């Protein structure tokens, strides 16, 4: 928590967008409906701000404090939209059904690596798994790359105690494809979620608070969870091909050992990454998904000729 920069200003944290305003929580836990100064720029859920009290129990955000991390996603018109600020960790939720989308998982993890946010995997609905070998093999690549993998069931509660302990003291987000149980998992982690929704609804004066926008909730055991319904993927547009290769953390020991400094690790001769894949030192499945993501990235106009 930073000290406010001017007399009369107070520290706060943005917990939700409410219409054209912001729900800002002060250091006592009170929610204040705030507006922003013009030209303040994008203000995201999770942002720490300086705000000034106004009449009628409202306020005005004066300054966005320095962020330790920022996550964005694609928006119409080729723009980028801010999803959340000051995240520590993003957990990609997968399940036996629908079948895990490894390309989506790797894209989310790559963006998090690029943004300096820790990533991890949550394998939900483990009570539906009949043969452990069918999914244990799938997570092996992520364990080998150093990512934590949590096996849980939002329905039965299996594995949730260990996962809650990993969340303690951190600001986190759940992401992943539709149908994997993110909403059920969020409700299992946040037993008082509806109380916060009701509080924000009353504060906004706009009727029932819609949960289609990102909202920050406090976890019972400490830490925060930013719930952003509808956000499945984060964009690659801000990354270069070199950034993408570095974002596959298991590639890093081999980067810089290729013959060419600008090697993209596809067909270049004497590529250390390709050699590691051929020898079995790197996962073939992860490498093939890297190549598909590289193709996506090279389709972005900014890098198409790079």
């Amino acid at each position: 928590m930073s000290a406010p920069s001017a007399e009369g200003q107070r520290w706060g944290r943005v917990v939700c967008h409410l219409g054209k305003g912001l729900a800002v929580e002060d250091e006592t836990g009170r929610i204040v409906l705030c507006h922003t100064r013009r030209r303040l720029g994008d203000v995201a859920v999770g942002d720490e701000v300086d705000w000034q009290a106004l009449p009628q129990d409202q306020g005005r955000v004066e300054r966005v404090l320095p962020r330790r991390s920022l996550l964005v996603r694609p928006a119409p018109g080729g723009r980028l939209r801010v999803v959340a600020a000051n995240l520590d960790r993003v957990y990609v939720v997968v399940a036996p059904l629908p079948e895990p989308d490894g390309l989506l998982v790797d894209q989310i993890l790559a963006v998090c690596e690029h943004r300096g946010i820790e990533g991890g995997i949550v394998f939900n609905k483990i009570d539906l798994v009949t043969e452990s070998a069918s999914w244990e093999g799938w997570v092996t690549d992520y364990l080998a790359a150093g990512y934590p993998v949590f096996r849980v069931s939002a329905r039965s509660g299996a594995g949730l105690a260990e996962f809650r302990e990993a969340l303690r003291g951190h600001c986190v987000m759940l992401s992943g494809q539709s149908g994997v149980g993110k909403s059920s998992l969020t409700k299992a982690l946040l037993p008082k979620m509806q109380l916060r929704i009701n509080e924000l609804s009353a504060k906004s004066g706009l009727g029932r608070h819609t949960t289609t926008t990102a909202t920050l909730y406090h976890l019972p055991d400490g830490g925060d969870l930013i719930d952003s319904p509808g956000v499945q993927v984060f964009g690659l547009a801000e990354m270069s091909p070199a950034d993408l290769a570095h974002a596959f953390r298991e590639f890093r020991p081999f980067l810089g050992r290729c013959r060419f400094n600008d090697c993209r690790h596809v067909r270049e001769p004497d590529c250390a990454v390709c050699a590691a894949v051929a020898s079995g030192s790197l996962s073939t499945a992860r490498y093939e998904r890297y190549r598909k993501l590289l193709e996506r990235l090279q389709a972005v106009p900014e890098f198409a000729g790079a």
Side-chain angles (χ1 to χ4, degrees):
M1 184 184 300
S2 303
S5 59
E7 185 177 353
Q9 292 184 11
R10 303 179 62 178
W11 175 90
R13 184 162 55 165
V14 178
V15 299
C16 189
H17 287 264
L18 294 174
K20 295 182 179 180
L22 300 168
V24 175
E25 185 176 44
D26 68 12
E27 65 276 5
T28 70
R30 183 173 65 107
I31 301 293
V32 179
L33 180 61
C34 291
H35 304 283
T36 62
R37 283 192 175 277
R38 292 182 179 180
R39 301 180 182 177
L40 193 61
D42 288 336
V43 183
V45 172
D47 266 326
E48 295 184 354
V49 298
D50 286 342
W51 64 279
Q52 183 86 35
L54 298 177
Q56 299 181 335
D57 197 29
Q58 296 192 8
R60 181 177 61 235
V61 173
E62 303 285 346
R63 181 172 73 109
V64 177
L65 301 179
R67 295 157 166 160
R68 66 178 181 272
S69 68
L70 185 66
L71 202 57
V72 300
R73 68 178 177 90
R79 298 177 294 109
L80 294 176
R81 179 172 298 169
V82 178
V83 176
N86 298 317
L87 278 166
D88 299 313
R89 299 177 179 180
V90 171
Y91 291 96
V92 189
V93 183
V94 297
L97 291 174
E99 183 178 348
D101 183 345
L103 194 62
L104 175 63
V105 173
D106 287 348
Q107 179 165 334
I108 294 171
L109 292 177
V111 172
C112 289
E113 291 284 344
H114 181 62
R115 284 288 184 170
I117 301 170
E118 285 293 319
I121 309 290
V122 179
F123 205 106
N124 191 23
K125 304 183 183 180
I126 59 168
D127 48 313
L128 301 182
V129 175
T130 56
E131 296 182 10
S132 61
S134 64
W135 58 271
E136 281 288 357
W138 190 87
V139 303
T140 297
D141 289 345
Y142 297 101
L143 291 171
Y147 288 107
V149 177
F150 295 90
R151 301 162 176 81
V152 307
S153 170
R155 184 173 64 176
S156 71
L160 288 182
E162 180 185 4
F163 186 45
R164 288 192 183 100
E165 186 60 32
L167 304 183
R168 187 193 300 269
H170 300 288
C171 183
V172 304
M173 176 183 284
L174 305 180
S175 187
Q177 68 200 91
S178 299
V180 294
K182 294 189 301 293
S183 295
S184 297
L185 184 56
T186 298
K187 291 176 181 178
L189 296 170
L190 296 167
K192 296 184 179 180
M193 180 177 178
Q194 189 60 45
L195 295 178
R196 171 55 68 96
I197 292 174
N198 294 341
E199 179 184 14
L200 294 171
S201 299
K203 183 62 65 174
S204 71
L206 301 174
R208 184 178 181 276
H209 167 59
T210 172
T211 56
T212 59
T213 59
T215 304
L216 184 146
Y217 301 96
H218 300 309
L219 293 162
D221 297 326
D224 305 291
L225 188 151
I226 296 180
D227 181 37
S228 189
V231 177
Q232 295 181 11
V233 69
F234 313 119
L236 295 169
E238 56 179 346
M239 300 173 66
S240 71
D243 291 332
L244 180 63
H246 191 265
F248 277 68
R249 54 168 61 175
E250 66 270 41
F251 288 13
R252 293 173 191 168
F254 305 96
L255 300 179
R257 293 166 52 184
C258 302
R259 179 195 296 187
F260 302 107
N261 292 333
D262 61 349
C263 185
R264 296 194 177 180
H265 321 295
V266 181
R267 297 185 183 88
E268 298 88 341
D270 298 327
C271 170
V273 172
C274 292
V277 174
S279 69
S281 298
L282 289 176
S283 161
T284 300
R286 280 266 287 172
Y287 171 72
E288 290 301 327
R289 292 196 289 269
Y290 157 77
R291 291 185 57 168
K292 290 180 180 179
L293 291 177
L294 182 62
E295 291 176 2
R296 286 186 181 180
L297 181 61
Q298 290 173 325
V300 177
E302 181 179 356
F303 297 112

